[in-house]
Amino acid sequence: LTVYPNPMSNQSTIAYSFPNDQSIRIGLYDITGLILKELVNGNQVAGQHTNNLTNEHLSDGIYFIKLGSGNTMPVTQKIILIK
C-alpha cells in the first residue's frame, strides 16, 4: 500500500497490488478511527491497482488509509492533508 503525494493538497493516489484475486476493502479514517469514506469494497483481480483520493469535505489534518483483504491483517498508511 502506497499513498502519494504525501502530504497531499488536492489529490493523492492510492496504489496497491496483490498476487491473487481477492475481496478488498479500503477505507479513509480520521485520527480517532472513525471511517469517513469507503473507497473500495469488493472483489478485485490480481495485479496492481490505483484509486484517487480527493480532499473534498476534508479539513487539514492527519488521516489513515486502511486496506484489508480476506483473512490477512489490514495494512494502514498515514496521510497528511495540507490545503
Side-chain angles (χ1 to χ4, degrees):
L1 176 64
T2 306
V3 181
Y4 59 91
N6 189 6
M8 73 176 272
S9 58
N10 295 323
Q11 178 177 313
S12 274
T13 299
I14 301 164
Y16 55 97
S17 64
F18 40 90
N20 303 315
D21 296 358
Q22 295 185 33
S23 177
I24 299 295
R25 183 174 181 195
I26 300 175
L28 175 68
Y29 294 80
D30 69 9
I31 195 80
T32 67
L34 178 68
I35 188 163
L36 302 174
K37 184 175 185 181
E38 191 168 69
L39 304 170
V40 176
N41 188 3
N43 293 324
Q44 291 194 338
V45 297
Q48 296 185 359
H49 299 270
T50 59
N51 276 345
N52 292 323
L53 172 65
T54 61
N55 68 6
E56 294 176 26
H57 311 293
L58 296 175
S59 301
D60 288 4
I62 297 173
Y63 297 90
F64 296 93
I65 304 291
K66 183 163 60 170
L67 181 147
S69 63
N71 294 327
T72 62
M73 292 290 293
V75 177
T76 304
Q77 177 72 41
K78 178 172 71 172
I79 187 165
I80 299 169
L81 173 60
I82 302 171
K83 292 184 183 179

